[in-house]
Amino acid sequence: MNNQSLSKKKNVLSKIVESPFLYLAPYFALFFLFKLGPIVSNFFVSLYELDIVGSGQFVGIKNYSRLVADKLFWIALKNTFYYLALVGPINVIGGFFIALLLNKPLRGRAIARAAVFMPYIIMVTVVGALWRWILEGNYGILNHYLQMILKIEPIYWLTSSSTAMLGVVMASVWWTIGYNTVIFLAGLQDVPRELMEAAEIDGAGSFRRLIHVIIPCLRSTTFFVVLTTIIYSLQVFGQVYTMTGGGPRYSTLVLVQHLYINGFRLFKLGYSSTISVVLFIVIFLISMGIFRVNKQTLS
């Protein structure tokens, strides 16, 4: 091998090593293997009548036609958006104001931050069992204090169709609001101190500094928090599964719970895949809408 060919090979090898795609390759490999691949595969499964054994029968869009006529699907879709409408604003706005409070130099701030975030590291099964005890109708601690302070009749939170979703929402907010708080806290550390000091020198009070300095500086953080809150809320499952199982009378049945029942109890794998495809499309469209609004706001 002559020196010229050896030099060419070294140059090619050097270009490969310096290429950014080489360093991104492990990420893309895992992304295609565990994310994109299952999504595409799931779409094809939704076109089959498939149970737990056998290769299934191709039925085209029959599963989608069944989905449109499925009353439980529409109930689950409505309940999922109802859950999002309750949890989303509380988690985003509540997380923001808790972060503002915990960003102040108060005594015991580190302990308070840990206390707010601590529920998020608890397993969802433990959260469900804990809140079933808290919300128990006859002996629950919440009813105990409500009766002692407000002198009201016991509320059967999880066994009444009018309050079951509220019980799930309370557990979810307690469990997840700490995550948004931590994200907002991280964003608050990036608010330029010079801007805050300049606004203060110009006579801006706390409210005006919040409106004209802090909130605009947290635009990217807020975008991320809103997006992840919506996605996680539309995928709610663990709290519902452990606290109510979708009842009573389907009042807490959500899309992922409906998917789980069809896929892992009734073994209608093709039909459950259809539900997941529709859920994916809903999340995708909402996410694209949020991206578009954020882009227009920035421009």
Side-chain angles (χ1 to χ4, degrees), residues 1-298:
M1 184 179 296
N2 57 35
N3 291 334
Q4 189 175 3
S5 62
L6 185 61
S7 176
K8 283 183 179 179
K9 285 188 176 180
K10 283 184 177 179
N11 288 335
V12 171
L13 184 61
S14 176
K15 286 182 180 178
I16 292 174
V17 171
E18 292 174 0
S19 171
F21 295 105
L22 179 66
Y23 301 99
L24 292 174
Y27 166 78
F28 281 114
L30 294 174
F31 176 75
F32 282 109
L33 187 60
F34 294 108
K35 291 288 185 181
L36 192 59
I39 290 173
V40 175
S41 171
N42 191 61
F43 173 74
F44 285 106
V45 172
S46 72
L47 303 176
Y48 281 80
E49 188 75 48
L50 181 65
D51 55 21
I52 199 167
V53 293
S55 58
Q57 178 184 1
F58 181 78
V59 293
I61 62 171
K62 183 181 176 182
N63 284 331
Y64 291 90
S65 301
R66 286 175 55 195
L67 192 68
V68 173
D70 184 358
K71 291 181 180 178
L72 288 182
F73 166 73
W74 293 108
I75 292 173
L77 185 65
K78 184 193 74 174
N79 288 341
T80 303
F81 276 97
Y82 179 47
Y83 173 87
L84 171 63
L86 294 176
V87 170
I90 297 174
N91 264 1
V92 174
I93 299 173
F96 173 69
F97 281 105
I98 294 174
L100 282 178
L101 180 64
L102 296 180
N103 197 45
K104 294 184 180 299
L106 303 174
R107 181 177 294 180
R109 183 174 63 173
I111 297 175
R113 287 179 175 180
V116 169
F117 185 70
M118 195 67 73
Y120 191 69
I121 65 175
I122 300 175
M123 290 178 63
V124 67
T125 49
V126 178
V127 173
L130 175 65
W131 276 88
R132 283 183 67 176
W133 173 71
I134 292 174
L135 300 175
E136 208 279 330
N138 295 314
Y139 309 105
I141 191 171
L142 182 59
N143 271 350
H144 171 76
Y145 284 108
L146 287 177
Q147 287 176 314
M148 187 173 69
I149 297 171
L150 301 178
K151 309 296 182 185
I152 60 175
E153 293 295 317
I155 300 172
Y156 294 92
W157 293 99
L158 300 180
T159 54
S160 169
S161 57
S162 60
T163 56
M165 184 59 87
L166 294 179
V168 174
V169 166
M170 281 191 277
S172 299
V173 169
W174 175 81
W175 184 41
T176 58
I177 198 169
Y179 175 78
N180 287 352
T181 301
V182 169
I183 300 296
F184 276 123
L185 266 173
L188 285 170
Q189 311 314 308
D190 289 335
V191 176
R193 188 177 298 275
E194 300 79 14
L195 280 180
M196 295 291 288
E197 291 173 352
E200 195 171 353
I201 291 171
D202 289 342
S206 300
F207 181 74
R208 292 183 64 188
R209 290 202 299 274
L210 173 68
I211 298 297
H212 298 292
V213 179
I214 295 176
I215 291 179
C217 288
L218 290 179
R219 184 177 295 154
S220 299
T221 305
T222 306
F223 163 72
F224 175 78
V225 169
V226 169
L227 183 64
T228 53
T229 299
I230 289 175
I231 292 174
Y232 292 153
S233 296
L234 291 174
Q235 294 176 329
V236 59
F237 171 66
Q239 306 94 299
V240 174
Y241 180 75
T242 55
M243 293 178 68
T244 64
R249 295 196 292 271
Y250 305 117
S251 60
T252 58
L253 181 70
V254 290
L255 278 177
V256 180
Q257 175 82 10
H258 192 42
L259 182 158
Y260 170 81
I261 292 172
N262 279 280
F264 296 98
R265 289 185 183 173
L266 304 177
F267 300 117
K268 298 176 180 176
L269 301 183
Y271 187 63
S272 65
S273 296
T274 307
I275 300 172
S276 66
V277 169
V278 172
L279 178 60
F280 170 78
I281 292 172
V282 170
I283 292 175
F284 180 78
L285 292 177
I286 292 177
S287 300
M288 289 300 101
I290 295 172
F291 268 100
R292 185 168 184 178
V293 169
N294 183 61
K295 186 177 179 181
Q296 289 177 345
T297 305
L298 290 175

